[in-house]
Amino acid sequence: MSAAHDYGLDDDYEWPRPPAGGWTADDLDKLPNLPPHTELIDGSLVFVSPQTNFHSRVIRLLDNALLAQVPDGFDVQREMTIKLNERNRPEPDVMVFKADADIGPGQTWYRPEDVLIAVEVVSKDSEERDREVKPRKYARAGIPHYWRVERNDGLPVVYVYELDTMTKSYVPMGIFHNRLKLTVPFPVDIDLTAVDRRR
């Protein structure tokens, strides 16, 4: 029995084979039959496993709360890639970006210089990427703010980081339980205990 068959694919399914040097950021829009939310990290395709209720609800909470609080000139998007460079196109769970960077309904990525905040909600299969790999890449690309969300007793805990432009690395600014209240990069006040609440 083939690996393709194990995953419900035809026996003659051809897995994507990277070219010499790996895939490029532009390849992500051209490769057929990629699973949703495929990312490019160091020229390699990264597939994500199905997400949990916690992951989806945290994204919904942050997306809705940030949309209600973001200042004029900025917008919020969930699960959209950032083209950091030719070999890296990660997909943060939520991002705040310059509104004028939206070029229309066919857009599939944003530039790092247009992103103000990148947010990752840590999943079992993304722990190392979200804690180590992505923040390092986001910082090197100059994204000013990074939020990492972890799960603790069923509630989100938000780790907030700000870019040190001299070292191109993130500096921890706080760990937030129950309520995320910030003045930078704009006033934010989010009740994290509302993660399971519906309107």
Side-chain angles (χ1 to χ4, degrees):
M1 190 175 288
S2 73
H5 191 271
D6 290 344
Y7 290 98
L9 303 169
D10 295 333
D11 284 331
D12 58 350
Y13 178 79
E14 290 284 329
W15 293 95
R17 290 186 176 90
W23 301 108
T24 69
D26 291 333
D27 291 332
L28 212 52
D29 291 327
K30 300 172 191 165
L31 287 166
N33 304 318
L34 288 179
H37 311 298
T38 299
E39 299 179 283
L40 185 73
I41 305 291
D42 295 328
S44 296
L45 299 176
V46 176
F47 307 128
V48 298
S49 56
Q51 296 303 324
T52 63
N53 269 337
F54 174 80
H55 190 272
S56 295
R57 287 176 179 168
V58 169
I59 291 174
R60 179 178 64 190
L61 172 69
L62 295 177
D63 185 35
N64 288 336
L66 286 168
L67 270 171
Q69 299 175 43
V70 73
D72 291 343
F74 289 93
D75 201 351
V76 180
Q77 186 65 274
R78 57 186 291 167
E79 302 168 317
M80 186 88 155
T81 60
I82 304 171
K83 190 193 249 186
L84 300 181
N85 55 41
E86 187 179 338
R87 294 171 43 81
N88 289 281
R89 201 168 135 190
E91 180 183 290
D93 291 309
V94 180
M95 75 170 96
V96 175
F97 64 96
K98 296 175 186 172
D100 61 5
D102 185 333
I103 58 171
Q107 185 171 357
T108 58
W109 53 268
Y110 288 94
R111 303 177 311 165
E113 55 265 37
D114 294 322
V115 178
L116 180 63
I117 305 170
V119 183
E120 296 288 356
V121 181
V122 177
S123 299
K124 191 91 173 139
D125 72 331
S126 71
E127 289 175 351
E128 188 171 347
R129 285 192 308 276
D130 293 345
R131 293 174 184 162
E132 305 288 336
V133 178
K134 286 186 177 182
R136 193 169 56 246
K137 291 181 180 298
Y138 291 151
R140 282 191 198 141
I143 295 173
H145 301 272
Y146 176 66
W147 300 355
R148 188 184 84 241
V149 184
E150 303 270 358
R151 182 179 176 194
N152 183 28
D153 293 330
L155 290 176
V157 176
V158 183
Y159 294 74
V160 172
Y161 300 87
E162 189 172 331
L163 183 65
D164 177 342
T165 54
M166 294 296 290
T167 63
K168 287 282 191 178
S169 61
Y170 287 121
V171 176
M173 302 305 289
I175 303 171
F176 296 83
H177 302 258
N178 298 324
R179 183 165 225 95
L180 174 61
K181 194 162 186 175
L182 303 169
T183 57
V184 175
F186 54 86
V188 172
D189 190 354
I190 302 173
D191 180 3
L192 299 173
T193 68
V195 68
D196 291 322
R197 264 183 241 152
R198 297 166 81 185
R199 285 189 174 181

